[in-house]
């Protein structure tokens, strides 16, 4: 049986499982956002760590690189924003708050794949400015 998994966050650089092949891919009408909380591998129930999820966004394309579809029928995890169904959904936050998690690994992996994801790049730029200011003031 063949199973393709669409990695749009840490799976891009750290799959955590063996795979036979890796291809760039995309999903239409979704965008990558740092709105999901993790209480098991990136945080605790009291302090969930932010991870990325996909949210519906008409006209947008979440992609690691421009390419023609090579496969279809891919497994994609999308977290719901319904707090009754997803108690770990964190929702929007300031760029500074979002940037405290695995941002730079994701940014680097996306750039290496030729993708310029606006949300990820904006968060990374803000963090770099914040860190630069902190260094200047110390």
């Amino acid at each position: 049986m063949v199973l393709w998994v669409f990695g749009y966050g840490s799976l891009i650089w750290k799959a955590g499982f063996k795979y036979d092949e890796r291809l760039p891919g995309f999903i239409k009408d979704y965008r990558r956002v740092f709105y999901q909380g993790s209480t098991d591998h990136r945080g605790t129930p009291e302090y969930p760590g932010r991870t990325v999820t996909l949210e519906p966004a008409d006209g947008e394309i979440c992609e690691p690189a421009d390419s023609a579809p090579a496969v279809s029928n891919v497994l994609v995890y999308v977290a719901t924003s319904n707090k009754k169904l997803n108690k770990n959904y964190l929702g929007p936050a300031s760029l500074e708050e979002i940037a405290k998690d695995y941002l730079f690994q994701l940014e680097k992996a996306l750039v290496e794949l030729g993708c310029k994801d606006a949300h990820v790049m904006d968060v990374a730029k803000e963090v770099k400015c914040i860190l630069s200011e902190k260094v200047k003031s110390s």
Side-chain angles (χ1 to χ4, degrees):
M1 181 177 124
V2 175
L3 174 66
W4 288 94
V5 177
F6 181 64
Y8 51 84
S10 60
L11 286 180
I12 293 175
W13 80 87
K14 186 179 180 183
F17 54 86
K18 292 183 181 183
Y19 54 88
D20 295 327
E21 191 173 359
R22 180 180 171 184
L23 298 171
F26 63 90
I27 184 170
K28 293 181 179 180
D29 295 324
Y30 283 88
R31 70 182 191 132
R32 182 186 294 110
V33 291
F34 289 87
Y35 294 177
Q36 180 63 33
S38 172
T39 58
D40 55 357
H41 65 285
R42 295 202 191 279
T44 66
E46 297 81 26
Y47 301 101
R50 279 194 183 266
T51 62
V52 292
T53 189
L54 296 175
E55 76 171 5
D58 288 340
E60 294 205 31
I61 297 177
C62 177
E63 59 184 326
D66 290 331
S67 64
V71 297
S72 57
N73 299 321
V74 176
L75 177 64
V76 179
Y77 170 78
V78 178
T80 179
S81 60
N82 182 325
K83 291 292 281 181
K84 289 182 180 179
L85 300 174
N86 181 4
K87 66 181 180 182
N88 290 322
Y89 183 77
L90 299 177
S94 71
L95 291 179
E96 185 175 0
E97 182 180 342
I98 289 171
K100 293 177 182 175
D101 289 297
Y102 66 85
L103 170 65
F104 293 125
Q105 289 288 348
L106 179 58
E107 177 197 30
K108 179 182 175 191
L110 289 171
V111 169
E112 287 173 358
L113 289 168
C115 176
K116 293 188 169 84
D117 184 290
H119 182 72
V120 174
M121 300 304 158
D122 287 348
V123 174
K125 181 179 176 182
E126 179 69 15
V127 171
K128 289 172 185 172
C129 288
I130 292 166
L131 292 175
S132 176
E133 290 301 317
K134 286 184 178 183
V135 168
K136 289 178 186 176
S137 66
S138 36

